[in-house]
Amino acid sequence: MQRLIQGDVGSGKTILAFLAMLDCAHSGFQSAIMAPTEVLARQHARKLRQLCDDLDLSYPVVLLTGSLSAAQRREAHEQIGCEPQALIVGTHALIQEKVNYCGLALVITDEQHRFGMKQRERFAFKGKYPHVLVMSATPIPRTLAIILYGDLDISVLDEVPAKRRPVKNCVVDISFREKVCRFMENQIRKGHQVYVICPLAEPSELAEGENVQDYTERLRSVFPGDIQIACLHGKMKSAEKNSIMESFLANRIQILVSTTVIEVGVDVPNATVMLIENAERFGLAQLHQLRGRVGRGDAQSYCIFMRESGQDAKNRRLEVLNQSNDGFYIAGEDLKLRGPGDFFGIRQSGEFRFRLADIYQDAGVMARASDEVSRLLREDPGLEREEHRALRQRLRLYAGDEFSLLNL
């Protein structure tokens, strides 16, 4: 298997991955899932253990991250090396040379866009021709995904679990901040929790916008003392971040002020409010990811986009989010507004540099071309047939050494 599961936030990609790992263990083999952050890796390990307990299964769940002590890391390495049915969870630590697997048959890369191609490749080579599953919660219109991931089968999850209620959206300016604070307190008094997202971790002379440290202190001066408020950002040590997330998950913290470090995968079903400050500074896809951190339980959830006044062009982007919770629609609008950039390069926006094709108008033709290439390589992987030799020479001329990729 070489498969991409592409699904919107909250659509259930993780449970599919877990069930695949359990199926692998039931067949007597190891599986491993690699997450981009330690917070998410620990969450995955906790949920896997809970799933095994619920199903009365005794498969060992092994967690391997960079912040483990030497003794913990040694124990994890030993389990990975001798437990043939282990369910292995970790960060980049899973692809280190010292990690020796024992019958690794399935590798899963969560939030695949957060890893480089070489990292995903090294992960796959840790096993002996393992099944490869990659997952992405960054929606890409299907025709574009077919073009970009022509070497992968694609499964799209376009629904969410039945009990989930659509998140209610609101775009307001800073004059509504007092009302927003009252609304947040009302939700907390009902037993729920709140995220507040700021673009900066700390004050900066080089960039304007709300920062996590000052905003946290400001909220502490506004809210009653029985409401616990904490901050979280990427500059903190791993142990501190994990401790804060554990406290938030247990509702010992009611308001978490954070940067976009919580953008990926964090699951706190009790959180019902997401306030995003300086929302006009974020991209559409990123805002949609952040919004996906709420609405993960049965209660009605809300996302409030706080914007500066006078940013008409940027505010038009926020209206797209205000009108729809459909990540694939939002991704399409995002492409139209800023261009796709270089998906495999360093440009984050702008137009694709195709000589003839247009990524929007010609998407259908490109998808058919991708299908035709797949058919051709199935029938003649090395392009050895007489009728394909001219094509082989042309590919060598254009692609050079990269032509060898076709033989994979």
Short mmCIF file of all heavy atoms in Angstrom, two decimals, residues 16 41 53 93 133 174 214 233 278 317 365 389 408:
data_model
loop_
_atom_site.label_atom_id
_atom_site.label_comp_id
_atom_site.label_asym_id
_atom_site.label_seq_id
_atom_site.Cartn_x
_atom_site.Cartn_y
_atom_site.Cartn_z
N LEU A 16 -8.81 5.79 11.83
CA LEU A 16 -8.52 4.86 10.73
C LEU A 16 -7.08 4.35 10.83
O LEU A 16 -6.82 3.15 10.65
CB LEU A 16 -8.72 5.55 9.38
CG LEU A 16 -10.16 5.77 8.92
CD1 LEU A 16 -10.17 6.44 7.54
CD2 LEU A 16 -10.92 4.46 8.86
N ALA A 41 2.31 13.39 19.51
CA ALA A 41 2.76 12.00 19.67
C ALA A 41 2.27 11.43 21.00
O ALA A 41 1.79 10.29 21.07
CB ALA A 41 4.28 11.92 19.58
N ASP A 53 -7.19 -0.83 25.79
CA ASP A 53 -7.89 -1.17 27.03
C ASP A 53 -9.38 -1.41 26.76
O ASP A 53 -9.97 -2.37 27.26
CB ASP A 53 -7.72 -0.06 28.07
CG ASP A 53 -6.30 0.01 28.62
OD1 ASP A 53 -5.56 -0.99 28.46
OD2 ASP A 53 -5.94 1.05 29.19
N ALA A 93 12.25 11.03 16.18
CA ALA A 93 13.12 10.05 16.83
C ALA A 93 12.96 8.66 16.22
O ALA A 93 13.87 7.83 16.31
CB ALA A 93 12.80 10.00 18.33
N LEU A 133 1.30 4.62 4.74
CA LEU A 133 0.09 5.43 4.83
C LEU A 133 0.50 6.83 5.26
O LEU A 133 1.20 6.99 6.27
CB LEU A 133 -0.87 4.83 5.85
CG LEU A 133 -2.24 5.50 6.01
CD1 LEU A 133 -3.06 5.31 4.74
CD2 LEU A 133 -2.98 4.90 7.20
N ILE A 174 -11.76 44.76 16.92
CA ILE A 174 -11.29 44.80 18.32
C ILE A 174 -12.26 45.53 19.24
O ILE A 174 -12.16 45.40 20.46
CB ILE A 174 -9.90 45.44 18.40
CG1 ILE A 174 -9.90 46.84 17.76
CG2 ILE A 174 -8.87 44.56 17.72
CD1 ILE A 174 -8.57 47.57 17.89
N ASP A 214 2.15 38.80 26.82
CA ASP A 214 1.40 39.96 27.29
C ASP A 214 -0.10 39.69 27.34
O ASP A 214 -0.79 40.15 28.26
CB ASP A 214 1.68 41.17 26.38
CG ASP A 214 3.10 41.69 26.53
OD1 ASP A 214 3.77 41.31 27.51
OD2 ASP A 214 3.54 42.48 25.67
N HIS A 233 3.75 28.15 23.87
CA HIS A 233 4.36 28.53 22.59
C HIS A 233 5.57 27.64 22.30
O HIS A 233 6.04 26.90 23.18
CB HIS A 233 4.76 30.01 22.57
CG HIS A 233 5.65 30.43 23.71
ND1 HIS A 233 6.99 30.17 23.73
CD2 HIS A 233 5.37 31.09 24.86
CE1 HIS A 233 7.53 30.66 24.84
NE2 HIS A 233 6.56 31.21 25.56
N ASN A 278 -5.74 39.00 15.65
CA ASN A 278 -5.04 39.39 14.41
C ASN A 278 -5.26 38.32 13.33
O ASN A 278 -4.33 37.89 12.64
CB ASN A 278 -3.54 39.57 14.64
CG ASN A 278 -3.23 40.60 15.72
OD1 ASN A 278 -2.62 40.29 16.74
ND2 ASN A 278 -3.67 41.84 15.53
N ARG A 317 -10.89 37.70 2.89
CA ARG A 317 -10.50 36.30 3.09
C ARG A 317 -11.20 35.70 4.31
O ARG A 317 -11.61 34.55 4.30
CB ARG A 317 -8.98 36.19 3.27
CG ARG A 317 -8.20 36.56 2.01
CD ARG A 317 -6.75 36.20 2.11
NE ARG A 317 -6.08 36.91 3.20
CZ ARG A 317 -5.42 36.32 4.18
NH1 ARG A 317 -5.37 35.02 4.24
NH2 ARG A 317 -4.83 37.03 5.11
N VAL A 365 -7.92 18.06 -17.09
CA VAL A 365 -6.98 17.51 -18.07
C VAL A 365 -5.74 16.97 -17.36
O VAL A 365 -5.23 15.90 -17.69
CB VAL A 365 -6.58 18.59 -19.10
CG1 VAL A 365 -5.51 18.07 -20.04
CG2 VAL A 365 -7.81 19.04 -19.88
N ARG A 389 10.02 4.08 -26.60
CA ARG A 389 11.44 4.44 -26.49
C ARG A 389 11.68 5.92 -26.75
O ARG A 389 12.54 6.55 -26.14
CB ARG A 389 12.27 3.58 -27.45
CG ARG A 389 12.41 2.15 -26.95
CD ARG A 389 13.22 1.28 -27.87
NE ARG A 389 13.28 -0.08 -27.35
CZ ARG A 389 13.80 -1.09 -28.02
NH1 ARG A 389 14.31 -0.90 -29.25
NH2 ARG A 389 13.81 -2.31 -27.48
N LEU A 408 10.80 3.46 -9.59
CA LEU A 408 10.34 3.14 -8.23
C LEU A 408 8.90 2.66 -8.24
O LEU A 408 8.41 2.18 -7.25
CB LEU A 408 10.48 4.38 -7.33
CG LEU A 408 11.90 4.86 -7.09
CD1 LEU A 408 11.88 6.14 -6.24
CD2 LEU A 408 12.72 3.80 -6.37
#
